[in-house]
Amino acid sequence: VEAAIPEPQRAAWIKHTPKPFSTPEEFEKDAIRHIETTLARSMYNCDELAAYSGTALAFRDRLIMSWNQTQQQHTFADQKRVYYLSLEFLMGRALDNAMLNVGQKDVAAKGLADLGFRIEDIINQEHDAALGNGGLGRLAACFLDSLASLDFPAWGYGLRYRYGIFKQEIIDGYQVEVPDYWLDFNPWEFPRHDVAVDIQFYGHVNRYQNDEGKTVSQWEGGEIVRAVAYDVPVPGYGTETTNNLRLWSSKAASGEFDFQKFNSGEYESSVADQQRAETISAVLYPNDNLDRGKELRLKQQYFWCAASLHDIVRRFKKGGHAWKDFPNQVAIQLNDTHPTLAIPELQRILVDVEGLEWDEAWIIVHKTFSYTNHTVLPEALEKWSVPLMQLLLPRHLQIIYDINLQFLQFVERTFPKEREVLSRVSIIEESQPKMVRMAYLAVIGSHKVNGVAELHSDLIKTTIFQDFVKIYGPDKFTNVTNGITPRRWLHQANPRLSALIASKLGSYDFLKDLTQLNKVENFVQDQEFRKEWREIKLANKARLAKHIKDTTGLEVDPKALFDIQVKRIHEYKRQQLNIFGVIHRWLALKALSPEERKATVPRVFIFGGKAAPGYWMAKTVIHLINQVGKVINADSDVGDLLKVVFVEDYNVSKAEIIVPASDISEHISTAGTEASGTSNMKFVLNGGLIIGTCDGANIEITREIGENNIFLFGNLAEDVEELRHGHLYGNYQLDEGLAKVFDEIRNGRFGDAQAFTALINAIVDHGDYYLVSDDFNSYCKTQELIDEAYKDQEEWLTKSITSVARMGFFSSDRCIEEYAETIWNLEPQKPKESAALDA
Ligand code: 6GP
């Protein structure tokens, strides 16, 4: 308040407050000013990167104005906010999204054309913000878009990694990881050097009596690292609301370097301190659905949780409310268990720092937090070793022990006769060394726990959290099926389809209420509409074919059936099933006469995705795909009837090209392993059909679009356990077709057979945990059905249109409304002036 401009002088301020541009000329003025002054370039020195930078800065100015307005309004309204804590935000590019969300893309296109640039080229200059691995991180990004578009007072909190997920290069068929220098120029962030929090590590706990004779604990000594905030504006679509994503960056607490050390000649060690501090936010761990238990990762987690909570508590205290009101002002959503340390940290702040009694603090904590589980895979469930936590966070470990003690006493009172339950549900696993089970801590410290698709939410109740359902009752556990933002995944990625739909529905309102897509079904027999739909798909395939040609040199025919599997490479996602199927198809094709071959449907199999650098089996799958591609693509027997492509460095901006270009996409995880999947939703929303197992959200997609519009195959989740048991203890029978595929690989058809031994042995010798052989026949048969179905192009088109029309449920807006109502108890805060919806 002391920093406010005095009343009499405010008129001058208001007069000169920048006005957002709304014509091409005004846009050009802003962009050119930035190019000339912020970038110190001229018209003789303005390449596409400079034009991108100027454009981005002009849009950033617009966003920051609505950001200021939104934040002021939210502070003034003093109502509940939600904080989404996620170690990953896979945002992708920001410019196209910003232009569309503020409704000024046409203006910018015209302005850029006046200056001699094509807007697509300018958009392509931007580096993806790749601060995530896969589904979990992209979901967080879709949620931010929905939260802003629906005017919810919401902040994201994450880490500002200096290096995002590595860039993938394919060299001689192998994945090679290259660092991602995305921060070289990033116009979308605002450093807030005034928002810094000192974070403590190591040290010891002191217990003493305070003046009132109460025993209190104090965490003392150790090391301090500074967290500095970087803010990224998140614009809503068709609204003035611009929310904030706050990313923390680590710095040495002594500032640039320790001047005392410097002055005493210890220059090197003062620089080393600086570097050690910066290491905390240096890299994103490149594991998807896998926990590695590395010390630096625990440091990242605490650093980010502590900085975020400090910020949240500071904002709460400014409102002057009583502590018991904290859960009425603050909801904190834990995106998987990565931010679980926020639970003991809030308890520590309330008890040790603010002096609340343990029990009243715990009520506040428990009402504030809720937790989303994203996986049942055992290798992904986080556990931290007790000795490591004792060293790094001694006070938190005590608090966790106290939480556990209270919880176990409660369980004992409730189930006095079932003593074995106690060791099963204890937060501390009695192993060597002892481990802290983070998922249990998250369940105990939250008022709601949700899974991300119906099957998954049922599974967590009967497997990993079974005992907790008994203890707390079923109401604590709920489902919120994932969703995707139609702004990025339809409007931005597939502008022609979005425009076609808008032309029939009369407006772009469906982008804010995706259920309106159901009206598309009225046009399914409209010949003109069908023709355009088909042309758009073909054009999208041609765009992808061009990308493939430019990046790999391979020519593929856009008229062929495009069959796409893009996602992280993982044994449970079964890219190996797909590539074995390709080999099977190739063998079948070669066995046909040239005449018979002519009657078959040409297919292009397109793969993409990163393997975790230490995940050897996943890397072997990438190698096999590339080796198979090399052989098949050069085989004149099959020619254009079969092609295999691996698209390098799959990321969000590549997905925007790939997703609209599918005829079929593959979502073929072993039943019960894929929590939800979200790319399945993206592909169907863009008029592609899917082949999939009865897993994750595939099941709900089927329910919405109808069984006739999806190609399901394979064993059901309920049968998986028995099948696995049979593999180990019964008489294991390898599928015949698959056996022939393995023979080819073993015979060296695809290069050094040794390279693929482990992949085959996992199936034939080690129990085929992912049921590749069990599902192989059903998979191949279903692929044949797809060939047949594709021959009837009219029927295929009907399926495509009908499916899109029925996808309204899968908007992340629906998903966020569910969280707001059933978990956060959160109301939107409409901006005072709202922008009109606009392309
Ligand atoms: C993923 C799940 O594997 C995917 O099925 C789901 O759609 C996505 O989360 C969003 O809910 N999980 C992860 O990426 C992960 O690392 C720990 O979970």
Side-chain angles (χ1 to χ4, degrees):
V1 178
E2 303 93 69
I5 300 292
E7 274 297 354
Q9 280 75 33
R10 287 187 193 174
W13 189 281
I14 290 163
K15 185 169 159 209
H16 297 296
T17 298
K19 303 277 177 301
F21 61 79
S22 58
T23 65
E25 291 70 31
E26 287 166 358
F27 160 76
E28 286 163 42
K29 198 173 140 207
D30 284 7
I32 290 170
R33 181 174 51 79
H34 275 300
I35 295 169
E36 294 258 359
T37 61
T38 318
L39 305 170
R41 306 283 280 261
S42 74
M43 66 174 154
Y44 303 105
N45 181 19
C46 183
D47 55 10
E48 286 177 345
L49 183 60
Y52 157 71
S53 307
T55 305
L57 290 166
F59 273 92
R60 186 179 79 164
D61 288 349
R62 275 191 76 104
L63 296 192
I64 207 63
M65 283 183 267
S66 52
W67 186 95
N68 274 330
Q69 213 181 337
T70 305
Q71 298 315 318
Q72 272 162 30
Q73 200 186 323
H74 289 177
T75 304
F76 186 73
D78 194 31
Q79 65 161 78
K80 189 169 186 176
R81 291 181 173 96
V82 67
Y83 297 99
Y84 198 78
L85 265 59
S86 180
L87 256 194
E88 304 188 12
F89 287 95
L90 197 41
M91 303 294 280
R93 288 175 176 161
L95 176 59
D96 202 0
N97 179 247
M99 294 192 298
L100 290 167
N101 278 17
V102 304
Q104 297 288 330
K105 188 171 179 180
D106 294 343
V107 165
K110 177 78 184 35
L112 283 165
D114 286 347
L115 302 176
F117 295 99
R118 279 167 22 121
I119 192 166
E120 304 80 58
D121 301 333
I122 298 311
I123 289 169
N124 281 333
Q125 291 299 312
E126 185 172 353
H127 204 112
D128 276 36
L131 307 185
N133 277 287
L136 174 148
R138 183 54 229 179
L139 185 76
C142 283
F143 281 5
L144 292 183
D145 184 77
S146 285
L147 283 162
S149 298
L150 295 169
D151 303 311
F152 282 111
W155 285 53
Y157 275 106
L159 277 184
R160 178 182 177 268
Y161 302 107
R162 186 141 40 88
Y163 301 101
I165 187 78
F166 63 87
K167 184 171 169 338
Q168 178 193 55
E169 289 182 1
I170 301 294
I171 298 178
D172 295 333
Y174 293 98
Q175 166 175 301
V176 174
E177 300 94 23
V178 179
D180 168 41
Y181 299 103
W182 75 291
L183 281 177
D184 276 357
F185 175 73
N186 176 15
W188 301 104
E189 63 177 15
F190 288 85
R192 297 272 184 203
H193 295 291
D194 53 325
V195 183
V197 189
D198 284 351
I199 308 296
Q200 186 176 2
F201 291 104
Y202 306 104
H204 57 270
V205 182
N206 232 337
R207 267 184 197 278
Y208 63 93
Q209 301 247 310
N210 70 5
D211 301 343
E212 293 140 38
K214 202 172 124 187
T215 309
V216 289
S217 298
Q218 212 60 49
W219 181 19
E220 290 166 359
E223 217 176 70
I224 303 288
V225 179
R226 184 158 299 163
V228 179
Y230 285 73
D231 288 346
V232 182
V234 181
Y237 174 75
T239 170
E240 283 299 310
T241 298
T242 295
N243 281 339
N244 195 26
L245 168 59
R246 178 158 284 178
L247 301 175
W248 299 105
S249 182
S250 58
K251 291 260 179 314
S254 52
E256 269 307 301
F257 45 64
D258 185 330
F259 273 97
Q260 274 187 341
K261 275 190 179 176
F262 179 62
N263 291 334
S264 62
E266 291 180 60
Y267 174 76
E268 276 171 316
S269 107
S270 73
V271 172
D273 286 352
Q274 172 69 11
Q275 280 172 350
R276 199 152 45 91
E278 288 182 7
T279 304
I280 292 181
S281 61
V283 287
L284 165 76
Y285 278 89
N287 299 317
D288 180 271
N289 268 299
L290 179 74
D291 168 47
R292 280 299 182 98
K294 289 276 204 290
E295 176 172 352
L296 183 61
R297 168 91 167 179
L298 184 60
K299 272 191 155 177
Q300 288 188 331
Q301 293 186 348
Y302 180 67
F303 171 82
W304 151 65
C305 287
S308 307
L309 266 182
H310 183 96
D311 215 38
I312 293 167
V313 167
R314 179 183 53 78
R315 198 168 298 120
F316 169 78
K317 283 171 114 176
K318 272 205 307 199
H321 299 268
W323 281 111
K324 69 167 176 30
D325 265 346
F326 193 82
N328 303 326
Q329 292 291 111
V330 174
I332 303 179
Q333 188 67 33
L334 305 175
N335 198 23
D336 215 86
T337 54
H338 316 148
T340 303
L341 284 170
I343 290 172
E345 173 67 0
L346 182 58
Q347 182 73 4
R348 185 188 71 83
I349 293 172
L350 295 177
V351 174
D352 295 0
V353 183
E354 301 295 341
L356 273 70
E357 293 299 328
W358 177 277
D359 288 343
E360 58 175 334
W362 184 246
I363 290 169
I364 292 169
V365 168
H366 175 269
K367 284 186 181 167
T368 299
F369 288 102
S370 42
Y371 152 56
T372 305
N373 173 281
H374 293 268
T375 188
V376 290
L377 298 188
E379 65 270 28
L381 298 179
E382 287 193 300
K383 290 175 187 174
W384 290 108
S385 100
V386 166
L388 175 59
M389 215 179 263
Q390 168 69 47
L391 180 75
L392 198 66
L393 303 166
R395 178 60 184 139
H396 294 81
L397 186 63
Q398 286 182 346
I399 290 172
I400 291 170
Y401 269 108
D402 288 346
I403 294 170
N404 198 34
L405 181 68
Q406 263 202 342
F407 170 68
L408 293 179
Q409 284 169 345
F410 165 72
V411 176
E412 202 171 22
R413 284 196 302 274
T414 324
F415 303 99
K417 294 197 191 79
E418 298 179 51
R419 294 210 49 91
E420 70 291 359
V421 179
L422 295 180
S423 65
R424 282 212 306 269
V425 299
S426 172
I427 298 173
I428 307 297
E429 181 183 273
E430 296 294 327
S431 45
Q432 234 354 297
K434 291 186 182 165
M435 303 293 271
V436 183
R437 296 157 160 164
M438 301 308 275
Y440 291 5
L441 179 56
V443 170
I444 294 164
S446 297
H447 67 283
K448 284 273 181 194
V449 177
N450 75 287
V452 290
E454 279 176 19
L455 174 67
H456 170 65
S457 298
D458 287 344
L459 279 175
I460 60 177
K461 285 198 276 185
T462 52
T463 59
I464 50 178
F465 300 141
Q466 191 178 28
D467 290 319
F468 292 90
V469 175
K470 246 174 83 185
I471 292 165
Y472 290 115
D475 291 352
K476 179 162 184 164
F477 296 85
T478 179
N479 172 249
V480 184
T481 298
N482 282 166
I484 55 170
T485 168
R487 272 76 62 179
R488 184 173 296 253
W489 296 112
L490 179 56
H491 193 45
Q492 183 181 323
N494 201 345
R496 280 186 65 188
L497 192 64
S498 183
L500 175 62
I501 293 170
S503 75
K504 290 296 178 194
L505 267 46
S507 78
Y508 280 101
D509 289 355
F510 66 96
L511 292 173
K512 285 213 108 162
D513 170 13
L514 203 64
T515 62
Q516 292 185 24
L517 276 183
N518 63 8
K519 290 182 269 172
V520 166
E521 226 165 313
N522 300 336
F523 303 94
V524 73
Q525 292 311 334
D526 175 331
Q527 291 309 313
E528 192 55 31
F529 180 72
R530 291 173 69 89
K531 185 165 160 266
E532 281 184 49
W533 191 281
R534 194 198 310 263
E535 278 172 17
I536 290 167
K537 179 58 84 181
L538 191 63
N540 289 333
K541 288 166 72 179
R543 177 168 70 149
L544 176 56
K546 180 173 184 311
H547 176 79
I548 291 170
K549 175 87 185 69
D550 292 348
T551 52
T552 69
L554 187 74
E555 297 222 21
V556 298
D557 179 2
K559 295 224 171 63
L561 191 166
F562 278 20
D563 179 325
I564 304 181
Q565 188 177 18
V566 283
K567 48 185 85 223
R568 286 300 289 252
I569 313 291
H570 221 297
E571 284 165 287
Y572 87 83
K573 295 179 188 281
R574 298 202 295 189
Q575 283 91 355
Q576 71 276 40
L577 174 61
N578 184 346
I579 194 66
F580 293 151
V582 171
I583 298 172
H584 177 80
R585 168 177 291 262
W586 178 60
L587 295 173
L589 267 176
K590 284 178 86 72
L592 296 180
S593 70
E595 274 312 302
E596 290 168 319
R597 269 182 218 149
K598 276 194 194 130
T600 62
V601 176
R603 243 206 238 217
V604 182
F605 285 90
I606 299 160
F607 292 84
K610 293 173 187 179
Y615 193 171
W616 190 69
M617 202 65 115
K619 288 182 141 178
T620 304
V621 172
I622 293 179
H623 185 210
L624 180 61
I625 294 168
N626 284 302
Q627 289 298 106
V628 170
K630 209 163 115 185
V631 172
I632 292 183
N633 297 342
D635 182 359
S636 55
D637 279 358
V638 296
D640 272 353
L641 293 180
L642 186 57
K643 293 283 176 223
V644 180
V645 186
F646 191 94
V647 177
E648 198 173 66
D649 198 39
Y650 178 62
N651 60 14
V652 173
S653 56
K654 299 238 167 81
E656 289 165 22
I657 301 172
I658 293 170
V659 168
S662 82
D663 295 302
I664 282 285
S665 65
E666 306 216 11
H667 309 275
I668 58 175
S669 49
T670 312
T673 62
E674 187 70 275
S676 163
T678 43
S679 75
N680 42 7
M681 303 168 190
K682 294 167 196 168
F683 279 103
V684 180
L685 185 61
N686 282 279
L689 306 187
I690 68 190
I691 178 169
T693 43
C694 294
D695 200 18
N698 289 354
I699 296 170
E700 288 150 85
I701 293 175
T702 308
R703 187 158 69 212
E704 293 293 313
I705 69 177
E707 281 186 24
N708 295 333
N709 295 317
I710 186 164
F711 296 94
L712 293 176
F713 74 96
N715 283 286
L716 300 180
E718 63 208 54
D719 300 322
V720 167
E721 211 179 280
E722 208 177 302
L723 285 163
R724 280 179 181 158
H725 187 85
H727 293 172
L728 294 173
Y729 303 107
N731 214 348
Y732 184 69
Q733 264 297 327
L734 183 65
D735 176 87
E736 272 176 46
L738 190 57
K740 295 207 177 94
V741 169
F742 288 171
D743 287 344
E744 293 296 320
I745 298 175
R746 288 199 189 101
N747 289 340
R749 275 273 206 172
F750 308 106
D752 181 14
Q754 295 269 303
F756 309 115
T757 310
L759 203 54
I760 295 177
N761 285 355
I763 295 165
V764 297
D765 288 341
H766 301 141
D768 192 10
Y769 189 76
Y770 297 102
L771 272 50
V772 174
S773 174
D774 302 83
D775 283 347
F776 191 71
N777 187 260
S778 164
Y779 174 71
C780 294
K781 287 263 152 61
T782 306
Q783 284 287 20
E784 284 168 25
L785 290 179
I786 290 170
D787 289 321
E788 281 315 304
Y790 198 70
K791 287 179 185 163
D792 187 346
Q793 281 287 301
E794 288 303 326
E795 183 52 30
W796 187 279
L797 188 60
T798 300
K799 287 185 198 296
S800 163
I801 298 170
T802 313
S803 301
V804 173
R806 298 177 183 174
M807 283 298 285
F809 179 76
F810 298 99
S811 169
S812 46
D813 294 348
R814 182 270 311 154
C815 190
I816 285 300
E817 307 249 24
E818 280 182 26
Y819 278 99
E821 194 178 318
T822 65
I823 299 179
W824 303 330
N825 191 20
L826 186 72
E827 297 288 337
Q829 174 65 230
K830 295 281 169 212
K832 289 194 190 97
E833 17 177 328
S834 213
L837 289 186
D838 182 328

